[in-house]
Each structure stands twice: as C-alpha cells, then as structure tokens.
Amino acid sequence: MVKLPYFSKTKSEVVTKRFLLDAKTISKVKAEVTSGCGGGDHMHKTSTAEIVIALIWRAQINAARASYGFLRTSILSVAVNLRGKTFKQAPENCCGNIFTVGTARFEADDETTMGLNGFVDQVRGAIRNTIVEFGKQNEDDDGFFSKLIMKPCIEIAEQLRKGDVHRFSSLRNLPFYEVDFGWGKPAWVSLAHRPYKSVMLIDTKSGDGIEAWVIMDKEEMAYFQNDPNITMLLKDEDRGVPGNSNLNAT
C-alpha cells in the first residue's frame, strides 16, 4: 500500500478571482517574450499556456514578497498530461486521467532571474523534462508509478513545510463548449472554487482567449491584482463577460 503525503487545506482566508486574457493581450505578452529571447525556434516551441503560467507565477512571487517583506523561495507545480506520451501506451478508449506534475524552483537568493523569459524557460523546462522522463522505458510498473505519483508529491509536501508552492493546471484545448446534453451548448463554462491556492487556465468560448482562475491568500491577492503585469488583464465586468470576477470564499 502506497502512503501519500497529506496536503492540508490552507488555514488562511483565500479568494478566487478570474482574469481574462483576450487575443490582443496574449499577443502583447508573446511579443515581450519574443523580444527578450530574440525570437527564433525557442519562441516557436513555447506554448501560450507556458507563457501565461510564467507571467502569473512571477506575479505571485512578487505578491508574496510584498506581503512578507522579503523574497521567498517558490516551487512551481504544473499538471502534465501524459496520455500518448509514456513509454507504455494506454489504450485510446481507456477511462480516467493519466497525469503527473512537473516542478520548477525559484530561489529567493537569486533576484537576477526575475525576468519573464527566465520564468518562461523554467515552466517550459518543467513540462518538457517531465514528458521526456516518462517517455523512457521503465524496468517495472512499480518504478513507473513511484515516479508518477510519489516523487512529485514528496517534493511538493517538503516545500509546503518550508515556503510557497504554486499549483497550476490547464484545461485548454478541451471541447467544453461543444458539449450538448440536449438543451444546447453552454454560453459560459466556469470552474468551482477550491479551498487551497491554485491557478487553473481554461479557454474562452471564442477560443482565442484564456480565463485564468486564480485562488490565493486574501492579503496576497490584493498585491497580486495590482501587479503591473496583471492590471492589464481586465476583469469580467470590464469585458462584458458573464460571471463574477471576484468570488470570495474561506
């Protein structure tokens, strides 16, 4: 029997806010990353989700610094879909998820790495390295599932005792808006609140934008939403999108 580390709910008050990145905003952020790395193949291999995750992660680190008064070490935990990417292939009609988490680490004593491109490289590396690792042949099933479940859980649990862990997941490119149970396709797909800090990305109905659902400590959220790189992400009422951009919960 495998005993996983226990992840407790945060004891502080958390709030959920939704931020919208339209096509124009996404192009602007991509242009910043392109200019910082000189363009080329590097940029073509970087996904929009990776850039958005990097943007938000950096703003979260800055928010924590403003809240605590000093820069803190941070672990990025990003869910990685492994369907079709593992050495042992699962049947296409297999039910359920097969995923793990890729991790990256920002060290508080190295403020020189605070540029957006540095965070993009970290996010991209965490995802790519995870896919490469699980594409290798494993000696046995126990080794595969230990690497799939235990290793990332232990690393994240250890960091939770020391400082900040920022969880990310992306539901982009899934056909939520094509689902029809008989009463028509949805006008808007939303996400439920969770009582722990995390970020979820999902496509807008038009398909050319991204909704970022951000759950953070209430105090840190106040700093986060005033970050210069986040203020450009206008809230729902400014965009005329259904829903409430400020969903508070304890």
Side-chain angles (χ1 to χ4, degrees):
M1 179 178 179
V2 177
K3 186 177 181 180
L4 297 177
Y6 174 68
F7 296 95
S8 61
K9 296 186 295 184
T10 180
K11 296 179 181 178
S12 57
E13 182 180 2
V14 297
V15 295
T16 300
K17 288 181 181 284
R18 183 179 66 166
F19 298 88
L20 177 65
L21 295 86
D22 60 15
K24 183 178 179 180
T25 301
I26 292 172
S27 296
K28 181 179 178 181
V29 177
K30 281 186 172 182
E32 180 183 345
V33 174
T34 303
S35 63
C37 68
D41 292 339
H42 175 88
M43 184 58 204
H44 292 299
K45 295 176 182 177
T46 303
S47 71
T48 300
E50 289 166 352
I51 294 174
V52 173
I53 289 171
L55 178 77
I56 294 174
W57 183 28
R58 183 177 66 166
Q60 288 178 319
I61 291 172
N62 281 328
R65 173 165 58 177
S67 179
Y68 287 93
F70 57 89
L71 201 57
R72 292 162 59 87
T73 294
S74 171
I75 288 285
L76 169 82
S77 167
V78 56
V80 179
N81 176 25
L82 293 177
R83 276 187 175 271
K85 301 179 179 72
T86 57
F87 177 78
K88 293 184 177 180
Q89 296 292 313
E92 290 186 7
N93 59 353
C94 181
C95 181
N97 297 324
I98 176 169
F99 76 97
T100 187
V101 295
T103 59
R105 187 181 186 91
F106 169 79
E107 297 291 350
D109 58 359
D110 189 6
E111 195 167 355
T112 60
T113 61
M114 285 296 291
L116 180 57
N117 284 80
F119 282 95
V120 171
D121 287 342
Q122 285 239 56
V123 174
R124 181 172 177 271
I127 295 172
R128 297 299 193 278
N129 292 340
T130 300
I131 293 173
V132 169
E133 181 64 26
F134 280 90
K136 298 177 182 178
Q137 183 174 2
N138 293 278
E139 294 181 359
D140 52 46
D141 290 340
D142 289 341
F144 174 80
F145 285 105
S146 175
K147 187 167 59 175
L148 179 73
I149 301 172
M150 289 300 296
K151 185 177 178 181
C153 286
I154 291 172
E155 182 178 357
I156 294 170
E158 289 175 349
Q159 182 59 30
L160 278 171
R161 301 186 186 100
K162 302 175 184 177
D164 300 327
V165 173
H166 297 289
R167 304 179 183 94
F168 286 81
S169 185
S170 175
L171 296 176
R172 298 195 64 226
N173 301 318
L174 295 176
F176 293 115
Y177 285 98
E178 297 302 315
V179 175
D180 188 345
F181 293 103
W183 52 83
K185 297 179 181 180
W188 176 53
V189 176
S190 64
L191 300 174
H193 171 77
R194 287 164 290 175
Y196 55 86
K197 294 184 286 186
S198 61
V199 177
M200 185 75 77
L201 306 182
I202 188 170
D203 290 319
T204 57
K205 186 175 184 178
S206 62
D208 61 355
I210 299 174
E211 290 183 17
W213 290 70
V214 182
I215 305 175
M216 293 178 64
D217 290 339
K218 186 175 182 179
E219 181 180 350
E220 290 184 20
M221 179 65 82
Y223 293 111
F224 174 83
Q225 65 185 8
N226 288 312
D227 184 289
N229 293 291
I230 300 301
T231 54
M232 66 179 175
L233 312 182
L234 300 182
K235 300 182 179 63
D236 297 343
E237 58 265 31
D238 299 319
R239 301 284 191 176
V241 176
N244 189 340
S245 66
N246 188 354
L247 308 175
N248 298 333
T250 302

